[in-house]
Amino acid sequence: MKKLVVIGLAATMVALTGCSDSKTTTQTSTPTGSTNASATAKPEKLTLNWSVTSGNLANVNLPAADKDFVKKAIEEKFNVDLKIDYMMNGKEYYDKLNATMAGGNVPDMFISGGAESQKYISDGITGNLAPFLTKAAVPNYFKWVSEDEVNAYQIKQGEFFRGMNIFPRNTYAAWHIRQDWLDKLGLKAPKTYDELTKVMVAFTKNDPDGNGKNDTFGLSAAGNGANLPFDFPQWLNNGLVADFMIANNTYIDNRTDLKVEKVIDQVVDWINQGVVDPDWFLNKPGAQLDKASQGKVGMYFSGDKTTILDSNPTSVANRSKALDPKANWVPIFPLDQPIIWKNNVAVDTILISKTTAEKTPDKIKRSMEILNWLTGDEGFLLTHYGQEGKHYTKDGKKITLNVANFEADIAKAGNWLNVYNAFVPDEPKVLGYELVDPRINDHDRAILKTVESYPKHDALPPVSLVPPAGINIGDFRKEMSKYHIKGVLEDKSGKNWPQYREELMTKFKGRDIFTEYTKTLNTALKNKLNDFK
């Protein structure tokens, strides 16, 4: 354990999945002023086009103009007409974004995954952020991330083409299981892979819901028609924690490790036993949660800390109880492994349009002003907790939710504030606030404490890992995923994985990529050691 440091890097490794219907707001409001306007003049009104994505935009729809108090506040405060396109993180988001860009309409500011950003930058679509994303221009942004982190996040040192989208430092990765099903079948919570397999079989074949029908499965996952996701515990069971690790100053890519052969074999074994939801491969992110809520499966994986909380009206727990009052979901670490996951790392990037930056830079400056507001006290509170006096009260740095109004206007309306807080996680402590949420009961506190206690490794890298010039990591990952699925669905065995892996390492330049990563890491670690000395 002392020799093993898990480092995650969204810049090159993140496998993005999931989608939802895209929505674009087109309503406008009459501006009343701007924080940057003088008493006698205000800046020219600008139309801004943004495109945002995150993992919590499933089934989210912005409300009508008269109820969208965030959009109204932004447009009045900064004298803009904000058009914001939003969608759940995943293939459909990038398909739509790429189609828009192909038509010559690059959003003025947009969120992109790390791998995707590499291509946008290399294709010359994005603009230089150096004049805009500075500590002087967006001081609030740099309360959440350090200048060193943002500088290390660049694809090429000395250039500044992507901002680090702010990410939550804590992680809540866990599998969640139906405790009431375990109780009904007289089973104990599994602690090893063999025990877990027996539970999955029992959930599938022993009628855990007691309806007399053979209509349940052990596990559901979200392959999004493209991936073998980490939802499957077989990855961790073979010592492959998240996407990559560093051992002895050498880069180890978990998803192309030789151990993937065993991962595929074990996944195929579960599929052959019928314990996996047969729709797992085509499931889009969120579909596995729907099936869990509907009582069709007994276990799923999630990194969302609210997924089984009583305080989240749309949680799997609450939706399950609406159908079966006895439903009892609990977090579980079902394997005898030293760690379950990694602490969070930057996943997404903030990019700007090169055309906009060069021809109408005021649009980028105005977007940065809004970003600064979103990451400061006023914007953070409005986009996370609603309107003061209506949705929450504030006593110094203590924020207390008005649950009835918050749920009626925001939570039960689809948590639409998630569109606007895609740039900033819900971590009020960063700004010195204490959140009092009356919905959080002892049950929820116990769940959060349990999940937080699961052992994880720090994973923020000292430098951005990028492939050699001319090699796109996104293209490599697509080929890698094809081989994963070929092994599971066509070969129905991991026996051909060594051959597939060799093709990835040679034909698709994997060895060149990972050698470059190791070289970059060694240089960065040596520099840090010298700084320490």
Side-chain angles (χ1 to χ4, degrees):
M1 288 292 292
K2 291 182 179 179
K3 293 182 179 180
L4 182 64
V5 178
V6 175
I7 301 178
L9 181 62
T12 53
M13 312 313 311
V14 68
L16 297 175
T17 58
C19 58
S20 70
D21 291 338
S22 173
K23 307 290 179 185
T24 304
T25 63
T26 57
Q27 308 98 319
T28 59
S29 303
T30 303
T32 60
S34 167
T35 53
N36 299 294
S38 68
T40 59
K42 60 184 179 183
E44 173 190 4
K45 185 173 184 178
L46 299 174
T47 296
L48 302 181
N49 290 286
W50 291 5
S51 186
V52 304
T53 184
S54 76
N56 57 2
L57 290 178
N59 304 315
V60 170
N61 295 288
L62 284 177
D66 62 330
K67 296 184 182 298
D68 192 343
F69 51 79
V70 175
K71 186 173 190 290
K72 185 174 185 294
I74 291 174
E75 292 188 331
E76 291 183 349
K77 196 172 191 67
F78 297 95
N79 200 23
V80 297
D81 175 11
L82 178 62
K83 297 181 179 180
I84 184 167
D85 200 48
Y86 60 95
M87 187 180 287
M88 183 100 167
N89 233 340
K91 182 178 182 296
E92 290 188 8
Y93 172 76
Y94 294 103
D95 286 346
K96 186 175 188 300
L97 181 60
N98 292 339
T100 300
M101 290 178 173
N105 299 311
V106 181
D108 300 317
M109 184 166 76
F110 59 103
I111 293 177
S112 163
E116 288 78 11
S117 71
Q118 179 194 347
K119 181 169 176 57
Y120 296 143
I121 292 170
S122 64
D123 287 349
I125 293 172
T126 62
N128 179 14
L129 274 165
F132 307 105
L133 193 66
T134 67
K135 201 163 187 176
V138 284
N140 290 329
Y141 169 83
F142 285 101
K143 293 177 182 177
W144 299 80
V145 295
S146 72
E147 289 182 283
D148 286 343
E149 288 174 338
V150 176
N151 289 334
Y153 199 50
Q154 302 311 307
I155 289 178
K156 184 182 294 185
Q157 297 307 299
E159 294 184 352
F160 191 21
F161 280 89
R162 65 182 190 179
M164 175 181 284
N165 200 37
I166 299 168
F167 60 97
R169 301 289 170 153
N170 293 327
T171 186
Y172 297 88
W175 281 272
H176 299 85
I177 198 167
R178 285 284 295 264
Q179 181 64 48
D180 57 308
W181 284 13
L182 290 172
D183 295 341
K184 184 178 185 301
L185 299 177
L187 299 171
K188 294 182 179 180
K191 295 182 180 180
T192 67
Y193 183 73
D194 288 342
E195 292 175 359
L196 178 60
T197 299
K198 291 177 181 178
V199 167
M200 294 296 97
V201 172
F203 279 3
T204 304
K205 300 181 178 180
N206 295 352
D207 191 24
D209 58 358
N211 68 355
K213 299 178 182 179
N214 185 23
D215 59 356
T216 58
F217 297 94
L219 175 79
S220 188
N224 200 33
N227 304 301
L228 182 63
F230 286 110
D231 302 41
F232 283 98
Q234 285 81 359
W235 289 99
L236 183 58
N237 185 53
N238 285 281
L240 302 175
V241 183
D243 44 12
F244 76 91
M245 301 179 289
I246 303 298
N248 298 322
N249 296 336
T250 301
Y251 177 91
I252 299 175
D253 191 68
N254 287 338
R255 288 176 290 173
T256 56
D257 193 89
L258 285 171
K259 294 177 182 177
V260 173
E261 177 178 353
K262 293 182 179 179
V263 173
I264 293 174
D265 281 338
Q266 291 175 357
V267 169
V268 169
D269 176 61
W270 273 23
I271 292 174
N272 289 342
Q273 293 190 62
V275 305
V276 179
D277 167 24
D279 296 329
W280 73 268
F281 177 60
L282 296 178
N283 280 342
K284 295 177 180 179
Q288 81 277 30
L289 305 183
D290 292 338
K291 295 200 173 191
S293 301
Q294 295 160 6
K296 294 181 179 180
V297 298
M299 191 177 79
Y300 68 93
F301 178 84
S302 175
D304 178 4
K305 69 179 181 180
T306 72
T307 187
I308 59 172
L309 298 187
D310 292 340
S311 55
N312 177 6
T314 59
S315 70
V316 170
N318 282 323
R319 288 194 284 162
S320 297
K321 289 177 183 177
L323 297 176
D324 179 3
K326 296 180 180 179
N328 180 21
W329 286 96
V330 298
I332 188 172
F333 183 4
L335 300 169
D336 52 347
Q337 294 291 325
I339 59 175
I340 191 171
W341 203 243
K342 63 185 181 184
N343 285 322
N344 275 338
V345 298
V347 172
D348 295 323
T349 64
I350 299 173
L351 304 174
I352 59 173
S353 162
K354 179 181 180 181
T355 300
T356 303
E358 294 177 350
K359 294 185 176 181
T360 52
D362 283 348
K363 288 189 175 185
I364 304 301
K365 292 178 182 177
R366 199 76 58 86
S367 293
M368 291 298 135
E369 291 175 9
I370 300 173
L371 177 63
N372 188 58
W373 177 79
L374 289 170
T375 52
D377 293 60
E378 183 179 325
F380 174 82
L381 294 175
L382 187 67
T383 58
H384 287 78
Y385 312 125
Q387 296 167 303
E388 184 178 359
K390 182 177 182 181
H391 302 113
Y392 72 89
T393 58
K394 183 161 74 79
D395 180 10
K397 285 290 189 175
K398 180 181 287 188
I399 304 298
T400 303
L401 285 186
N402 181 329
V403 173
N405 289 344
F406 185 86
E407 290 196 348
D409 297 344
I410 299 166
K412 291 183 178 178
N415 283 317
W416 58 271
L417 287 182
N418 290 343
V419 173
Y420 295 105
N421 60 46
F423 292 99
V424 193
D426 187 10
E427 293 193 334
K429 289 183 179 180
V430 175
L431 296 177
Y433 288 102
E434 174 191 357
L435 176 64
V436 178
D437 185 347
R439 298 171 300 175
I440 301 291
N441 54 25
D442 290 341
H443 169 265
D444 286 0
R445 278 188 283 271
I447 287 175
L448 292 172
K449 184 177 181 180
T450 297
V451 176
E452 288 174 350
S453 72
Y454 292 152
K456 296 168 282 284
H457 275 315
D458 287 331
L460 192 63
V463 67
S464 191
L465 303 181
V466 296
I471 300 178
N472 187 292
I473 188 63
D475 294 337
F476 174 82
R477 291 300 177 196
K478 288 179 182 178
E479 297 301 326
M480 174 201 74
S481 293
K482 288 178 183 178
Y483 282 131
H484 287 165
I485 299 306
K486 184 177 176 62
V488 172
L489 299 183
E490 294 183 24
D491 302 339
K492 302 184 185 305
S493 167
K495 64 181 180 181
N496 292 324
W497 175 250
Q499 172 189 334
Y500 298 155
R501 181 182 184 274
E502 186 58 26
E503 289 190 24
L504 288 169
M505 294 300 109
T506 54
K507 181 179 178 180
F508 298 105
K509 309 296 184 182
R511 191 164 286 112
D512 293 342
I513 294 171
F514 304 141
T515 298
E516 182 71 15
Y517 287 177
T518 295
K519 178 181 177 182
T520 303
L521 278 167
N522 284 333
T523 300
L525 292 171
K526 184 182 296 183
N527 289 340
K528 280 191 171 293
L529 180 60
N530 289 336
D531 291 342
F532 176 76
K533 290 178 178 178

PDB file of all heavy atoms in Angstrom, residues 443-465:
ATOM      1  N   HIS A 443     -30.599   8.623   9.847  1.00  0.00           N
ATOM      2  CA  HIS A 443     -30.413   7.574   8.837  1.00  0.00           C
ATOM      3  C   HIS A 443     -29.468   8.052   7.747  1.00  0.00           C
ATOM      4  O   HIS A 443     -28.511   7.359   7.361  1.00  0.00           O
ATOM      5  CB  HIS A 443     -31.774   7.191   8.244  1.00  0.00           C
ATOM      6  CG  HIS A 443     -31.691   6.330   7.018  1.00  0.00           C
ATOM      7  ND1 HIS A 443     -31.738   6.859   5.738  1.00  0.00           N
ATOM      8  CD2 HIS A 443     -31.554   4.985   6.868  1.00  0.00           C
ATOM      9  CE1 HIS A 443     -31.642   5.868   4.861  1.00  0.00           C
ATOM     10  NE2 HIS A 443     -31.530   4.730   5.517  1.00  0.00           N
ATOM     11  N   ASP A 444     -29.694   9.264   7.223  1.00  0.00           N
ATOM     12  CA  ASP A 444     -28.844   9.811   6.172  1.00  0.00           C
ATOM     13  C   ASP A 444     -27.423  10.070   6.659  1.00  0.00           C
ATOM     14  O   ASP A 444     -26.444   9.794   5.954  1.00  0.00           O
ATOM     15  CB  ASP A 444     -29.440  11.110   5.638  1.00  0.00           C
ATOM     16  CG  ASP A 444     -30.661  10.875   4.757  1.00  0.00           C
ATOM     17  OD1 ASP A 444     -31.033   9.705   4.574  1.00  0.00           O
ATOM     18  OD2 ASP A 444     -31.245  11.861   4.271  1.00  0.00           O
ATOM     19  N   ARG A 445     -27.312  10.598   7.875  1.00  0.00           N
ATOM     20  CA  ARG A 445     -25.978  10.866   8.423  1.00  0.00           C
ATOM     21  C   ARG A 445     -25.176   9.580   8.567  1.00  0.00           C
ATOM     22  O   ARG A 445     -23.966   9.553   8.320  1.00  0.00           O
ATOM     23  CB  ARG A 445     -26.099  11.592   9.757  1.00  0.00           C
ATOM     24  CG  ARG A 445     -26.303  13.094   9.617  1.00  0.00           C
ATOM     25  CD  ARG A 445     -26.219  13.796  10.963  1.00  0.00           C
ATOM     26  NE  ARG A 445     -27.438  13.597  11.725  1.00  0.00           N
ATOM     27  CZ  ARG A 445     -28.500  14.389  11.658  1.00  0.00           C
ATOM     28  NH1 ARG A 445     -28.487  15.425  10.852  1.00  0.00           N
ATOM     29  NH2 ARG A 445     -29.579  14.149  12.387  1.00  0.00           N
ATOM     30  N   ALA A 446     -25.849   8.511   8.954  1.00  0.00           N
ATOM     31  CA  ALA A 446     -25.163   7.221   9.104  1.00  0.00           C
ATOM     32  C   ALA A 446     -24.673   6.705   7.759  1.00  0.00           C
ATOM     33  O   ALA A 446     -23.558   6.168   7.649  1.00  0.00           O
ATOM     34  CB  ALA A 446     -26.094   6.204   9.759  1.00  0.00           C
ATOM     35  N   ILE A 447     -25.483   6.874   6.723  1.00  0.00           N
ATOM     36  CA  ILE A 447     -25.095   6.435   5.379  1.00  0.00           C
ATOM     37  C   ILE A 447     -23.882   7.228   4.896  1.00  0.00           C
ATOM     38  O   ILE A 447     -22.901   6.660   4.397  1.00  0.00           O
ATOM     39  CB  ILE A 447     -26.269   6.593   4.395  1.00  0.00           C
ATOM     40  CG1 ILE A 447     -27.320   5.512   4.664  1.00  0.00           C
ATOM     41  CG2 ILE A 447     -25.782   6.500   2.944  1.00  0.00           C
ATOM     42  CD1 ILE A 447     -28.568   5.653   3.833  1.00  0.00           C
ATOM     43  N   LEU A 448     -23.950   8.540   5.045  1.00  0.00           N
ATOM     44  CA  LEU A 448     -22.839   9.376   4.601  1.00  0.00           C
ATOM     45  C   LEU A 448     -21.552   9.035   5.348  1.00  0.00           C
ATOM     46  O   LEU A 448     -20.468   8.978   4.752  1.00  0.00           O
ATOM     47  CB  LEU A 448     -23.182  10.849   4.789  1.00  0.00           C
ATOM     48  CG  LEU A 448     -24.297  11.388   3.890  1.00  0.00           C
ATOM     49  CD1 LEU A 448     -24.674  12.803   4.296  1.00  0.00           C
ATOM     50  CD2 LEU A 448     -23.872  11.352   2.428  1.00  0.00           C
ATOM     51  N   LYS A 449     -21.660   8.792   6.640  1.00  0.00           N
ATOM     52  CA  LYS A 449     -20.489   8.442   7.438  1.00  0.00           C
ATOM     53  C   LYS A 449     -19.901   7.119   6.975  1.00  0.00           C
ATOM     54  O   LYS A 449     -18.670   6.965   6.884  1.00  0.00           O
ATOM     55  CB  LYS A 449     -20.873   8.364   8.917  1.00  0.00           C
ATOM     56  CG  LYS A 449     -19.702   8.091   9.848  1.00  0.00           C
ATOM     57  CD  LYS A 449     -20.134   8.095  11.310  1.00  0.00           C
ATOM     58  CE  LYS A 449     -18.957   7.841  12.231  1.00  0.00           C
ATOM     59  NZ  LYS A 449     -19.371   7.842  13.668  1.00  0.00           N
ATOM     60  N   THR A 450     -20.768   6.163   6.665  1.00  0.00           N
ATOM     61  CA  THR A 450     -20.300   4.853   6.196  1.00  0.00           C
ATOM     62  C   THR A 450     -19.545   4.971   4.884  1.00  0.00           C
ATOM     63  O   THR A 450     -18.431   4.449   4.734  1.00  0.00           O
ATOM     64  CB  THR A 450     -21.484   3.887   6.027  1.00  0.00           C
ATOM     65  OG1 THR A 450     -22.088   3.668   7.301  1.00  0.00           O
ATOM     66  CG2 THR A 450     -21.017   2.562   5.442  1.00  0.00           C
ATOM     67  N   VAL A 451     -20.139   5.677   3.920  1.00  0.00           N
ATOM     68  CA  VAL A 451     -19.516   5.786   2.603  1.00  0.00           C
ATOM     69  C   VAL A 451     -18.214   6.581   2.682  1.00  0.00           C
ATOM     70  O   VAL A 451     -17.219   6.241   2.030  1.00  0.00           O
ATOM     71  CB  VAL A 451     -20.495   6.424   1.601  1.00  0.00           C
ATOM     72  CG1 VAL A 451     -19.811   6.626   0.259  1.00  0.00           C
ATOM     73  CG2 VAL A 451     -21.723   5.537   1.432  1.00  0.00           C
ATOM     74  N   GLU A 452     -18.211   7.634   3.484  1.00  0.00           N
ATOM     75  CA  GLU A 452     -16.984   8.415   3.645  1.00  0.00           C
ATOM     76  C   GLU A 452     -15.858   7.587   4.268  1.00  0.00           C
ATOM     77  O   GLU A 452     -14.680   7.863   4.038  1.00  0.00           O
ATOM     78  CB  GLU A 452     -17.258   9.639   4.516  1.00  0.00           C
ATOM     79  CG  GLU A 452     -18.083  10.719   3.823  1.00  0.00           C
ATOM     80  CD  GLU A 452     -18.461  11.840   4.764  1.00  0.00           C
ATOM     81  OE1 GLU A 452     -18.247  11.688   5.989  1.00  0.00           O
ATOM     82  OE2 GLU A 452     -18.976  12.871   4.300  1.00  0.00           O
ATOM     83  N   SER A 453     -16.219   6.570   5.038  1.00  0.00           N
ATOM     84  CA  SER A 453     -15.207   5.766   5.731  1.00  0.00           C
ATOM     85  C   SER A 453     -14.526   4.758   4.820  1.00  0.00           C
ATOM     86  O   SER A 453     -13.469   4.226   5.170  1.00  0.00           O
ATOM     87  CB  SER A 453     -15.845   5.017   6.907  1.00  0.00           C
ATOM     88  OG  SER A 453     -16.675   3.960   6.453  1.00  0.00           O
ATOM     89  N   TYR A 454     -15.105   4.477   3.657  1.00  0.00           N
ATOM     90  CA  TYR A 454     -14.485   3.503   2.768  1.00  0.00           C
ATOM     91  C   TYR A 454     -13.111   4.014   2.322  1.00  0.00           C
ATOM     92  O   TYR A 454     -12.979   5.168   1.896  1.00  0.00           O
ATOM     93  CB  TYR A 454     -15.364   3.242   1.549  1.00  0.00           C
ATOM     94  CG  TYR A 454     -16.661   2.528   1.848  1.00  0.00           C
ATOM     95  CD1 TYR A 454     -17.783   2.712   1.052  1.00  0.00           C
ATOM     96  CD2 TYR A 454     -16.768   1.654   2.932  1.00  0.00           C
ATOM     97  CE1 TYR A 454     -18.974   2.047   1.317  1.00  0.00           C
ATOM     98  CE2 TYR A 454     -17.948   0.992   3.204  1.00  0.00           C
ATOM     99  CZ  TYR A 454     -19.054   1.190   2.395  1.00  0.00           C
ATOM    100  OH  TYR A 454     -20.229   0.539   2.664  1.00  0.00           O
ATOM    101  N   PRO A 455     -12.081   3.183   2.399  1.00  0.00           N
ATOM    102  CA  PRO A 455     -10.719   3.650   2.103  1.00  0.00           C
ATOM    103  C   PRO A 455     -10.527   3.993   0.631  1.00  0.00           C
ATOM    104  O   PRO A 455     -10.942   3.262  -0.263  1.00  0.00           O
ATOM    105  CB  PRO A 455      -9.845   2.455   2.507  1.00  0.00           C
ATOM    106  CG  PRO A 455     -10.762   1.270   2.422  1.00  0.00           C
ATOM    107  CD  PRO A 455     -12.116   1.755   2.791  1.00  0.00           C
ATOM    108  N   LYS A 456      -9.879   5.133   0.410  1.00  0.00           N
ATOM    109  CA  LYS A 456      -9.597   5.616  -0.944  1.00  0.00           C
ATOM    110  C   LYS A 456      -8.190   6.212  -0.972  1.00  0.00           C
ATOM    111  O   LYS A 456      -7.639   6.558   0.060  1.00  0.00           O
ATOM    112  CB  LYS A 456     -10.633   6.677  -1.346  1.00  0.00           C
ATOM    113  CG  LYS A 456     -12.061   6.144  -1.432  1.00  0.00           C
ATOM    114  CD  LYS A 456     -13.080   7.257  -1.537  1.00  0.00           C
ATOM    115  CE  LYS A 456     -13.336   7.909  -0.206  1.00  0.00           C
ATOM    116  NZ  LYS A 456     -14.186   7.117   0.684  1.00  0.00           N
ATOM    117  N   HIS A 457      -7.654   6.344  -2.176  1.00  0.00           N
ATOM    118  CA  HIS A 457      -6.341   6.963  -2.345  1.00  0.00           C
ATOM    119  C   HIS A 457      -6.490   8.380  -2.863  1.00  0.00           C
ATOM    120  O   HIS A 457      -7.392   8.673  -3.653  1.00  0.00           O
ATOM    121  CB  HIS A 457      -5.499   6.186  -3.372  1.00  0.00           C
ATOM    122  CG  HIS A 457      -4.765   5.022  -2.796  1.00  0.00           C
ATOM    123  ND1 HIS A 457      -4.070   5.090  -1.627  1.00  0.00           N
ATOM    124  CD2 HIS A 457      -4.606   3.756  -3.253  1.00  0.00           C
ATOM    125  CE1 HIS A 457      -3.506   3.912  -1.372  1.00  0.00           C
ATOM    126  NE2 HIS A 457      -3.831   3.086  -2.339  1.00  0.00           N
ATOM    127  N   ASP A 458      -5.567   9.252  -2.445  1.00  0.00           N
ATOM    128  CA  ASP A 458      -5.487  10.557  -3.087  1.00  0.00           C
ATOM    129  C   ASP A 458      -5.041  10.340  -4.528  1.00  0.00           C
ATOM    130  O   ASP A 458      -4.218   9.473  -4.815  1.00  0.00           O
ATOM    131  CB  ASP A 458      -4.478  11.461  -2.378  1.00  0.00           C
ATOM    132  CG  ASP A 458      -5.007  11.949  -1.037  1.00  0.00           C
ATOM    133  OD1 ASP A 458      -6.241  12.064  -0.906  1.00  0.00           O
ATOM    134  OD2 ASP A 458      -4.197  12.204  -0.133  1.00  0.00           O
ATOM    135  N   ALA A 459      -5.603  11.163  -5.419  1.00  0.00           N
ATOM    136  CA  ALA A 459      -5.371  10.857  -6.826  1.00  0.00           C
ATOM    137  C   ALA A 459      -5.093  12.065  -7.709  1.00  0.00           C
ATOM    138  O   ALA A 459      -5.010  11.924  -8.913  1.00  0.00           O
ATOM    139  CB  ALA A 459      -6.600  10.111  -7.374  1.00  0.00           C
ATOM    140  N   LEU A 460      -4.976  13.248  -7.155  1.00  0.00           N
ATOM    141  CA  LEU A 460      -4.736  14.419  -7.988  1.00  0.00           C
ATOM    142  C   LEU A 460      -3.298  14.390  -8.503  1.00  0.00           C
ATOM    143  O   LEU A 460      -2.347  14.384  -7.721  1.00  0.00           O
ATOM    144  CB  LEU A 460      -4.977  15.694  -7.195  1.00  0.00           C
ATOM    145  CG  LEU A 460      -5.039  16.984  -8.022  1.00  0.00           C
ATOM    146  CD1 LEU A 460      -6.210  16.925  -8.990  1.00  0.00           C
ATOM    147  CD2 LEU A 460      -5.161  18.196  -7.114  1.00  0.00           C
ATOM    148  N   PRO A 461      -3.109  14.365  -9.808  1.00  0.00           N
ATOM    149  CA  PRO A 461      -1.759  14.229 -10.373  1.00  0.00           C
ATOM    150  C   PRO A 461      -0.954  15.513 -10.256  1.00  0.00           C
ATOM    151  O   PRO A 461      -1.514  16.609 -10.205  1.00  0.00           O
ATOM    152  CB  PRO A 461      -2.032  13.889 -11.837  1.00  0.00           C
ATOM    153  CG  PRO A 461      -3.335  14.548 -12.121  1.00  0.00           C
ATOM    154  CD  PRO A 461      -4.132  14.436 -10.853  1.00  0.00           C
ATOM    155  N   PRO A 462       0.367  15.402 -10.241  1.00  0.00           N
ATOM    156  CA  PRO A 462       1.221  16.587 -10.160  1.00  0.00           C
ATOM    157  C   PRO A 462       1.357  17.301 -11.492  1.00  0.00           C
ATOM    158  O   PRO A 462       1.895  18.400 -11.558  1.00  0.00           O
ATOM    159  CB  PRO A 462       2.561  16.007  -9.706  1.00  0.00           C
ATOM    160  CG  PRO A 462       2.573  14.633 -10.298  1.00  0.00           C
ATOM    161  CD  PRO A 462       1.146  14.156 -10.222  1.00  0.00           C
ATOM    162  N   VAL A 463       0.890  16.669 -12.548  1.00  0.00           N
ATOM    163  CA  VAL A 463       1.046  17.241 -13.880  1.00  0.00           C
ATOM    164  C   VAL A 463       0.036  16.563 -14.799  1.00  0.00           C
ATOM    165  O   VAL A 463      -0.426  15.457 -14.531  1.00  0.00           O
ATOM    166  CB  VAL A 463       2.483  17.016 -14.409  1.00  0.00           C
ATOM    167  CG1 VAL A 463       2.749  15.547 -14.659  1.00  0.00           C
ATOM    168  CG2 VAL A 463       2.757  17.860 -15.653  1.00  0.00           C
ATOM    169  N   SER A 464      -0.325  17.239 -15.864  1.00  0.00           N
ATOM    170  CA  SER A 464      -1.267  16.664 -16.824  1.00  0.00           C
ATOM    171  C   SER A 464      -0.538  15.657 -17.711  1.00  0.00           C
ATOM    172  O   SER A 464       0.540  15.930 -18.235  1.00  0.00           O
ATOM    173  CB  SER A 464      -1.865  17.781 -17.682  1.00  0.00           C
ATOM    174  OG  SER A 464      -2.945  17.311 -18.424  1.00  0.00           O
ATOM    175  N   LEU A 465      -1.141  14.488 -17.863  1.00  0.00           N
ATOM    176  CA  LEU A 465      -0.554  13.444 -18.700  1.00  0.00           C
ATOM    177  C   LEU A 465      -1.195  13.490 -20.077  1.00  0.00           C
ATOM    178  O   LEU A 465      -2.408  13.337 -20.213  1.00  0.00           O
ATOM    179  CB  LEU A 465      -0.773  12.071 -18.066  1.00  0.00           C
ATOM    180  CG  LEU A 465      -0.225  11.893 -16.654  1.00  0.00           C
ATOM    181  CD1 LEU A 465      -0.499  10.483 -16.158  1.00  0.00           C
ATOM    182  CD2 LEU A 465       1.258  12.212 -16.593  1.00  0.00           C
TER     183      LEU A 465
END
